[in-house]
Every structure is written in C-alpha cells, then in structure tokens.
Amino acid sequence: MADLSWTIPVMRAGYAGRGLTYLSIAGLSLWAIWRGGEAQGTGSALETLSDSGWGIAVLWLIALGLFAYAVWRGIDAIEDLEEYGDDAKGMISRAGMIVTGLIHGAIAALAISLALGGGGGSGGEGGVSNLVGDVLDWPGGAIIVTVGGLITIAAGIYYLIKGWKAKYREKLRANHFTSNYDWALRFGVMAQGVIIVVIGGFLTVAGFRGSSQEAGGMGKAFDWLASQPFGNFLVIVLCLGLLGFAFFCFVNAVYRVIPKVAGDDLTTLAAKMKAKAA
C-alpha cells in the first residue's frame, strides 16, 4: 500500500480552513446582530472580509484551507482512508465526500476572487438560486432539484444523528481535551445538521414549485429563521451553534484520526467512552 501519511497535514489544514470559515460566518453574523443588522450567509460574510486588510489575509487562509479540504475529501473518497467500505452504504458516503469537497472548493474559489479584488460572482448569496435556476431549465430539472433537496435533508438528518449519538467520537483521538469538551462538539455538529436540513427544505420547495427564488443557502436560512416567532433569538442560538461547529472543525484539525494512516496505539474518544461506561 502506498504511503499516504502526507494526507494528514492536508486534512489538518482542511479542517482548520473549514473552522475558520464557520468562525467568520458566525462571528460576523453575531456582530451584525449586536449592531442592529442581520446575520450573514457565506457569500456576504466573505465579502465583508474583503473590505479590510486583515480580512484579505483571512480570506487567503480560508481559501488555502478549503482547497486543502477539497483535496483531502477527494483522496479520502478514492483511497477510502476512513474505511467506509465498498458496499452501497460505503459508496454513498464516499460519493458524498466528493460532493462536499467540490462545494468547499467552490467556496475557496470565491474567497480567492474576493481576495484579489473581484466580485462575488455566482458564489455570492444569489449563487444557489442561479444554479438552481440553470438546473430547472434542464429536461426533468424540477425532479433533479427536488431529489437533490431530499438528499440534502437526509444529509442534515445524518448530522443531527451523528451529533445526538456522538458518532464523531469514532474519528477523534481520546485525551483530556476532547473528553471535557465533548458537549460543545455535539452541540456544533447538531447545529450544522439544522442548517443543512433547512437548506435542503428550500431546495425541495424550489424543485416542487419550479422556482429558483425558493432556493438559497445559509443567508436564506438565517432570513427564514428570523421571520419565525422569537426569530432573532433562534438566529443567535444557531450562530452560537455554528461557533460550536467551527470549534468541532478546529478540534478535528488537531485530533482527528485517519484509520488507514493512524497507528494501532491510538485510542479513540469512542473507545474511551465505551470503556468508561463498562
């Protein structure tokens, strides 16, 4: 078997970049709400960063990190580094990794464009609606969008279950830090699940109604929550959850275990918790 130890620093850089992205979105959103504004989606948050010198530096860090994450997900899927297997369930999981990698690669491209002084283009808040509009023009486009929305909802439910059952522990190294902050990791993963379910709901409605205006990303999810009873409170709670997910990404950047590369002497958080409960 080829030496794939080089994937470890790529993976760590990728999760760090992902964490920095969510930290920026949640942090800028909370700051905007504090000043009487509205929460910001991915495109809006990145555009805000492009307005200052330090923000440009953050954009470059995000771009490099997310590019590394895209590479990591591609290699992970091809080489099955996390041992999902070759059965139907495993292949679906590995295909999901590639899709996730492509999405984060697109965000990296947006960050580079903004850092170089370009506009948001199709990667801004209207990017999802524009893409859905293009797909709706295809033969059977409405069905494709609807199915894509249902798959997205399923992915969000997977995150919710992953957080509730703490399945992420199987990929984290056991130590004092991961044990003590397990509650924050769980909260962050479940908050990410909520966002994905809401976005999937938008896609499903867009496909069912044949209207790209119904689709949207994180910015639309914030707007929808804000329109509900106690909406501002819900948005703040979700932003805190996204800070938790950023924390989850940073913890993965340091302590994530890659089964096919890690040594046999490592103890996962799941194994430690199981032994403690026995």
Side-chain angles (χ1 to χ4, degrees), residues 44-226:
S44 297
L46 295 183
E47 287 177 10
T48 299
L49 288 174
S50 68
D51 293 334
S52 64
W54 66 267
I56 297 295
V58 174
L59 282 175
W60 279 113
L61 290 174
I62 287 174
L64 292 172
L66 293 187
F67 177 73
Y69 187 79
V71 172
W72 149 249
R73 276 312 187 193
I75 298 298
D76 188 13
I78 294 171
E79 298 290 344
D80 193 21
L81 296 180
E82 297 187 289
E83 299 181 337
Y84 283 98
D86 296 325
D87 58 6
K89 182 179 178 181
M91 295 306 292
I92 291 174
S93 297
R94 292 164 69 179
M97 292 178 190
I98 293 176
V99 173
T100 302
L102 291 174
I103 291 172
H104 286 80
I107 299 174
L110 171 61
I112 292 173
S113 175
L114 291 169
L116 293 175
S122 61
E125 290 305 308
V128 176
S129 294
N130 293 337
L131 178 60
V132 169
D134 291 339
V135 175
L136 287 173
D137 290 335
W138 298 352
I143 295 176
I144 295 173
V145 172
T146 302
V147 172
L150 293 174
I151 292 174
T152 303
I153 291 173
I157 293 173
Y158 167 77
Y159 267 91
L160 287 168
I161 295 174
K162 180 180 180 180
W164 181 258
K165 294 187 175 181
K167 291 187 176 181
Y168 55 83
R169 295 172 179 168
E170 298 171 1
K171 298 293 194 312
L172 284 180
R173 182 180 304 176
N175 55 40
H176 184 73
F177 184 86
T178 54
S179 298
N180 282 354
Y181 291 97
D182 184 60
W183 61 271
L185 298 173
R186 177 176 292 187
F187 177 55
V189 173
M190 294 183 70
Q192 175 72 351
V194 171
I195 280 283
I196 295 174
V197 167
V198 173
I199 292 174
F202 293 147
L203 285 174
T204 303
V205 173
F208 184 75
R209 295 182 178 177
S211 172
S212 63
Q213 298 304 311
E214 302 290 344
M218 195 173 296
K220 188 175 180 67
F222 281 140
D223 291 341
W224 179 78
L225 282 174

